[in-house]
Amino acid sequence: MLRQHASQNPATSRWLLTLPSFAAALFSLALALFLIASAYSEHSARQHSLTQDLLWQKQALNTRVDNFTHQLRTVAASMATDGLASAEFTARTLSLREDSPEIISLEYIDETGQERWREPEQKIERLPDFRHPYIAEIREKILAGESSSFSKIILNDPETPILAIAVPIKLNYSGRHVLIAQLNLRTMLQQQVPWWIAQRYQISLWDQQKFIAGRFDRSYDASQQSSSIQLDWPPNKLALTAHIYEQKRNNWQTSLTVVVAALSILMLASTWALRRHIKERQNTEAKLRQEQALRESMENSLVTGIRAMDLEGRLFYANRAFCEMVGYSQESLIGASHPMPYWPPEDIEQCMAIYRAILNGRADSTGYQMRFMRSNGERFDVRLYAAKLIDGEGVHTGWISAIYDITELQREREALQASHERFVAVLNGLDAAVSVSDANTGELLLSNRHFDRAFNIPERHGRYCNIPFVRRNKGAPVDSEWFDDFNQHWYQVKSRSSVWVDGSEVWLEIATDITMLKTAQENERQQKEQLQQTTRLISMGEMASSLAHELNQPLAAIASYATGCRNVLSQKEPNIAQLDQAIEKMAVQAKRAGQIIRGIREFVQRRAPHRKRCELRDLLETVQTLLNAEIKKSQVKLSVSDTRTFPPIYADAVMLEQVIFNLMKNAIEAMADTPVKQRTLDVKVTREDDMLAVAITDRGPGISTEQMEQLFKPFYTTKSSGMGMGLNICRSIIEHHQGRLWVEANPLGGSCFHFTLPLSIESEAYEP
Ligand code: ADP
């Protein structure tokens, strides 16, 4: 039904919708036209009969006046022949009076102008007599020879319009006598207008727009429809007018018109209402169609299978998705009952149990996981949810089920599970301890096995990341190191702020066990220290003869002073002053020897690095003392710039002494082949902003550009007995003090070793 409507052309349906209204309007119009036309034709007919009747009335009046005139002549003739006293005359007069109620008076005027006779005898008040000018006028005309004459209308009394008619009285003797009759036109009209005319028309007599007389029926109103006709009563220009009375329609006619009009209106209204109703209905139908189409398309586009069973468990509906799912057509499924064609034979019992549970209204609201079978025998997993099917009137008519093919979902779930397991395996396989904790509550959201083991996080009472070492920063990731006292492990911890899967803010921390690295670093440091110690020992060993010589000098001096003292004491009177002088010199020499020995001891002593406030001047002096013998032996001229004005530095004095010692010793050794005159060793200290710069310049063979970086590599040496570690150790010591060590060529020949040391306040932090 709806489809049929849907297939209708909208233009056609609109046309169909308009047709009844159009027909009703046309009918009403035709009816109105018919009424107008019939009114018009009625009007024409009435006009026609009015004209006819008016002609007839004129004719009647004319005839009446003519008859009267004739009778008047007859009376006049009788007067003339029989005389006024004759019975004949009296009879005629009486007859005339009886026949003509409109006669007001008859007057006999003789040739002298005297009234000889009148009827009635008594003159009527307010009415004219023969002396009235209009009557005198017609008498004159008769005297002049006319056979009859009409007067102008006399209107002394408006209620009594008078027309006077004069005829001659022809006597045998000379002189002419005149008979004058006064006629009341009003009475004439009353008399002469028959009832059937008076009933239809309002008759009036007009003398040039002036009302003369009329015949009215006051109970009717005159309409506008009228007609006039001239009466030929000269000298008057009288017009006879007839107005048609307002037609009092017949009751049934009026009622019929009203009924027809009301019916027309009703028809129009009902057609309009019908049209509106149809339109609303069409709109509703269109909406319904749309909704149905939407529902159909929704049902068809659903990937969820939907099927409905009646209360007996027979399928009566299956949507497209369900049909496609099980591979059966809708027709083959409708009417199917247990066992359903899509139940796999091996699961028939389970399917039957669920089927019964649904029919008994005991369906599990969380749904059932089942296995169905396609028409080609393929099995697939579904999840089925069943509910009561309640129709629009609230009646329970069956059971509806939604069926989801979960094969793909399960595959995805398995894949997800596998991926999760892989992720956990990788996470647990990591050497690092990984954790994610809530930024607000500190609750541990994720941790790998390494983390749980390393930090022994308890399983009960919630898990919280309470690792004390973490330095956290909301911006850039932070690296920190932490020593786990309990387990004796070093960790490097990288902490960064991140967003968790639920959008909350979390801390992601990766703690890498760096205990091994730390141990290796410590070993290296110890080795280096040992190496430095060794190099110092070697240096001392190399300088042993020079140092022995150096030490020999004060010892020899002490010995000779001792000999001198003995000599003085062996004298009779020993010179005490001399003795005192010698002993004092001995003490000076012993102090000097002691200084040399302390210097050697300090230099070679094995000890941990230790920074403290020290003056560069003191370091240079110590080294100078140690190298003094060597300098002398090599005939090198040493010049050291004045260092008194420089601020102190915070450094390990022995380490820096080793650096200066190495560089000066290398310089001295480099100048072995330099002519003695040119053997100069300059030690210059300058200040550059917050740095102290030391330059040790020799006039040795110099160093080629290629060699310049090689020198600082370990075990690089050009000396047969060299170890090649000196410069390498020097650079690490200087860099350890945040300084720089490099070499340049001396423009005068030879090389110049530079190193810098910061004067920074930061150094104070290392002060013990
Ligand atoms: P070693 O003195 O045991 O050889 P060093 O590391 O102190 O070890 O020096 C490495 C090498 O650098 C020396 O063998 C030498 O060839 C070169 N060298 C060091 N100082 C100078 C210098 N002042 N002039 C020229 N060559 C130098």
Side-chain angles (χ1 to χ4, degrees):
M1 175 77 171
L2 286 173
R3 288 224 173 94
Q4 271 175 8
H5 272 288
S7 64
Q8 234 168 38
N9 187 347
T12 316
S13 75
R14 214 177 306 134
W15 191 80
L16 277 176
L17 202 64
T18 321
L19 194 60
S21 310
F22 184 68
L26 216 60
F27 173 74
S28 303
L29 188 71
L31 196 69
L33 283 175
F34 169 74
L35 287 174
I36 291 167
S38 68
Y40 179 75
S41 84
E42 197 182 331
H43 182 273
S44 309
R46 279 187 355 205
Q47 191 70 33
H48 182 71
S49 67
L50 168 65
T51 315
Q52 295 271 325
D53 292 346
L54 204 57
L55 270 173
W56 181 90
Q57 186 61 59
K58 177 190 170 179
Q59 195 60 43
L61 285 173
N62 280 344
T63 311
R64 174 67 190 150
V65 170
D66 286 351
N67 282 345
F68 184 78
T69 312
H70 178 71
Q71 274 183 305
L72 205 59
R73 276 203 201 100
T74 318
V75 171
S78 175
M79 254 178 192
T81 52
D82 305 330
L84 291 170
S86 71
E88 184 71 23
F89 168 70
T90 309
R92 281 190 190 277
T93 311
L94 198 64
S95 157
L96 182 62
R97 290 277 299 189
E98 276 174 4
D99 285 352
S100 313
E102 62 267 47
I103 294 177
I104 297 171
S105 67
L106 290 171
E107 282 170 296
Y108 179 173
I109 311 300
D110 64 15
E111 74 270 27
T112 61
Q114 292 298 312
E115 187 186 69
R116 269 205 202 176
W117 172 89
R118 72 170 278 125
E119 174 67 35
E121 282 178 31
Q122 206 63 41
K123 188 175 174 291
I124 302 163
E125 190 80 12
R126 286 187 296 119
L127 292 185
D129 61 9
F130 66 95
R131 283 178 284 269
H132 189 277
Y134 289 176
I135 299 176
E137 206 176 314
I138 55 170
R139 187 176 152 258
E140 286 303 319
K141 282 184 184 171
I142 295 297
L143 290 178
E146 286 188 19
S147 62
S148 64
S149 179
F150 293 165
S151 73
K152 287 180 189 164
I153 305 300
I154 302 159
L155 270 174
N156 279 9
D157 177 5
E159 290 295 311
T160 320
I162 292 168
L163 173 72
I165 303 173
V167 291
I169 303 169
K170 292 174 185 165
L171 294 171
N172 293 335
Y173 58 89
S174 62
R176 299 186 77 174
H177 298 235
V178 180
L179 180 61
I180 297 166
Q182 286 186 35
L183 300 178
N184 184 346
L185 288 178
R186 190 183 167 88
T187 314
M188 187 193 276
L189 275 186
Q190 297 293 335
Q191 290 297 313
Q192 293 308 314
V193 175
W195 65 268
W196 54 272
I197 291 216
Q199 211 171 43
R200 289 161 68 184
Y201 310 110
Q202 190 185 70
I203 303 293
S204 53
L205 203 55
W206 300 78
D207 182 14
Q208 292 174 346
Q209 315 294 325
K210 197 168 170 193
F211 178 75
I212 303 297
R215 171 99 156 85
F216 302 140
D217 187 337
R218 300 268 174 211
S219 56
Y220 299 129
D221 291 332
S223 72
Q224 292 299 318
Q225 199 177 354
S226 66
S227 187
S228 277
I229 196 163
Q230 289 290 325
L231 292 177
D232 310 321
W233 297 346
N236 296 300
K237 286 181 180 163
L238 290 177
L240 185 68
T241 304
H243 279 86
I244 301 177
Y245 284 124
E246 281 288 2
Q247 282 280 314
K248 283 246 165 105
R249 284 172 176 273
N250 288 332
N251 267 353
W252 68 267
Q253 207 178 350
T254 315
S255 308
L256 194 67
T257 313
V258 169
V259 167
V260 169
L263 279 177
S264 297
I265 291 167
L266 194 69
M267 189 174 69
L268 269 174
S270 63
T271 316
W272 183 78
L274 194 70
R275 186 168 180 265
R276 243 179 66 158
H277 175 73
I278 292 175
K279 233 174 168 177
E280 273 171 18
R281 213 189 133 104
Q282 275 185 343
N283 285 344
T284 316
E285 276 180 3
K287 272 188 196 153
L288 199 69
R289 271 201 303 280
Q290 265 179 0
E291 264 175 40
Q292 201 184 13
L294 179 71
R295 221 186 69 183
E296 264 176 32
S297 68
M298 266 163 59
E299 277 176 12
N300 289 339
S301 52
L302 268 182
V303 287
T304 309
I306 294 174
R307 54 144 219 219
M309 303 190 294
D310 60 19
L311 292 169
E312 277 73 49
R314 262 188 309 277
L315 277 181
F316 68 87
Y317 173 78
N319 75 342
R320 201 169 71 182
F322 184 71
C323 294
E324 281 171 6
M325 215 181 267
V326 293
Y328 289 99
S329 71
Q330 212 167 25
E331 293 72 36
S332 62
L333 284 177
I334 301 300
S337 187
H338 68 88
M340 298 293 179
Y342 45 81
W343 289 356
E346 67 275 15
D347 286 348
I348 229 152
E349 272 174 29
Q350 187 211 1
C351 292
M352 195 62 206
I354 294 170
Y355 175 80
R356 283 214 186 93
I358 295 172
L359 287 186
N360 293 336
R362 288 184 285 102
D364 190 345
S365 61
T366 57
Y368 297 97
Q369 185 150 336
M370 302 170 76
R371 178 153 291 195
F372 277 2
M373 181 177 74
R374 295 190 218 281
S375 58
N376 62 7
E378 191 188 333
R379 267 66 165 170
F380 63 103
D381 294 322
V382 296
R383 184 129 200 117
L384 181 144
Y385 297 90
K388 267 185 184 177
L389 184 66
I390 310 288
D391 71 5
E393 274 136 34
V395 181
H396 174 205
T397 55
W399 305 94
I400 187 155
S401 309
I403 298 112
Y404 301 88
D405 184 345
I406 54 165
T407 318
E408 193 56 33
L409 196 76
Q410 235 171 358
R411 202 172 296 151
E412 274 174 19
R413 205 176 283 163
E414 280 163 16
L416 205 68
Q417 180 64 27
S419 146
H420 178 72
E421 277 166 13
R422 278 200 299 277
F423 169 71
V424 171
V426 169
L427 207 63
N428 287 337
L430 282 177
D431 279 341
V434 181
S435 73
V436 177
S437 58
D438 191 293
N440 296 318
T441 61
E443 192 187 347
L444 199 58
L445 302 171
L446 180 131
S447 64
N448 68 349
R449 195 183 300 148
H450 196 101
F451 182 92
D452 293 351
R453 264 194 219 143
F455 303 112
N456 205 15
I457 299 290
E459 282 290 343
R460 280 179 298 166
H461 310 304
R463 286 152 50 90
Y464 289 91
C465 182
N466 49 2
I467 311 165
F469 53 79
V470 192
R471 265 173 54 206
R472 286 161 170 169
N473 181 13
K474 291 230 167 162
V478 181
D479 274 329
S480 53
E481 285 184 1
W482 175 65
F483 183 64
D484 179 0
D485 255 339
F486 187 75
N487 293 314
Q488 291 287 303
H489 273 273
W490 270 102
Y491 288 97
Q492 187 190 41
V493 187
K494 202 175 199 69
S495 168
R496 70 181 307 153
S497 156
S498 184
V499 177
W500 193 230
V501 284
D502 62 358
S504 62
E505 203 184 334
V506 292
W507 292 111
L508 169 65
E509 264 123 26
I510 302 169
T512 317
D513 190 338
I514 53 164
T515 315
M516 300 258 279
L517 188 75
K518 276 274 179 193
T519 315
Q521 276 176 352
E522 183 56 22
N523 287 345
E524 195 184 349
R525 192 189 61 75
Q526 281 175 3
Q527 275 171 4
K528 258 192 181 168
E529 213 172 88
Q530 234 163 3
L531 201 61
Q532 283 172 20
Q533 168 77 5
T534 315
T535 53
R536 281 199 293 272
L537 285 174
I538 290 168
S539 304
M540 282 298 121
E542 283 170 357
M543 294 198 318
S545 62
S546 313
L547 282 171
H549 177 69
E550 183 72 7
L551 210 55
N552 231 5
Q553 277 186 340
L555 290 177
I558 290 169
S560 70
Y561 284 132
T563 312
C565 285
R566 282 183 71 179
N567 288 342
V568 173
L569 285 173
S570 61
Q571 285 172 8
K572 257 190 184 163
E573 283 177 11
N575 188 337
I576 299 297
Q578 240 181 1
L579 205 59
D580 186 51
Q581 226 175 16
I583 290 171
E584 197 186 317
K585 281 183 179 163
M586 272 167 71
V588 169
Q589 288 303 322
K591 198 176 170 189
R592 186 167 141 69
Q595 250 180 2
I596 292 166
I597 288 164
R598 200 165 49 251
I600 293 168
R601 209 186 71 212
E602 268 184 17
F603 193 71
V604 297
Q605 201 173 35
R606 188 185 168 154
R607 47 190 277 290
H610 172 56
R611 284 195 186 198
K612 63 177 187 182
R613 190 174 188 272
C614 50
E615 302 272 351
L616 197 58
R617 186 171 36 141
D618 295 341
L619 308 181
L620 284 170
E621 261 174 27
T622 308
V623 175
Q624 226 172 303
T625 313
L626 292 175
L627 282 174
N628 221 359
E630 190 78 7
I631 289 167
K632 276 184 197 157
K633 199 175 102 188
S634 314
Q635 296 177 292
V636 171
K637 197 172 156 211
L638 174 70
S639 72
V640 180
S641 69
D642 187 6
T643 57
R644 273 173 303 183
T645 51
F646 297 122
I649 52 169
Y650 293 86
D652 185 305
V654 176
M655 280 184 165
L656 287 189
E657 278 167 10
Q658 188 178 353
V659 173
I660 300 165
F661 180 91
N662 266 357
L663 295 178
M664 282 173 71
K665 191 166 164 284
N666 274 350
I668 294 164
E669 283 173 359
M671 289 189 289
D673 297 334
T674 310
V676 177
K677 276 190 182 169
Q678 290 175 17
R679 287 182 195 169
T680 52
L681 174 58
D682 284 338
V683 179
K684 202 171 179 185
V685 184
T686 50
R687 181 176 175 172
E688 290 169 7
D689 300 329
D690 53 353
M691 298 283 238
L692 281 186
V694 180
I696 297 165
T697 316
D698 65 59
R699 298 292 302 275
I703 301 158
S704 68
T705 329
E706 298 83 56
Q707 261 188 318
M708 277 184 183
E709 271 310 308
Q710 299 287 328
L711 306 184
F712 297 97
K713 288 189 175 159
F715 309 111
Y716 178 84
T717 179
T718 54
K719 298 168 193 168
S720 53
S721 57
M723 248 181 81
M725 283 304 293
L727 287 177
N728 179 268
I729 289 172
C730 287
R731 184 171 261 185
S732 23
I733 290 172
I734 293 297
E735 283 173 0
H736 178 72
H737 283 82
Q738 285 83 45
R740 223 157 61 75
L741 170 65
W742 73 100
V743 63
E744 286 173 3
N746 180 2
L748 301 172
S751 40
C752 179
F753 280 82
H754 296 268
F755 70 85
T756 57
L757 287 171
L759 285 171
S760 164
I761 284 299
E762 260 184 38
S763 314
E764 284 189 67
Y766 294 93
E767 195 175 15

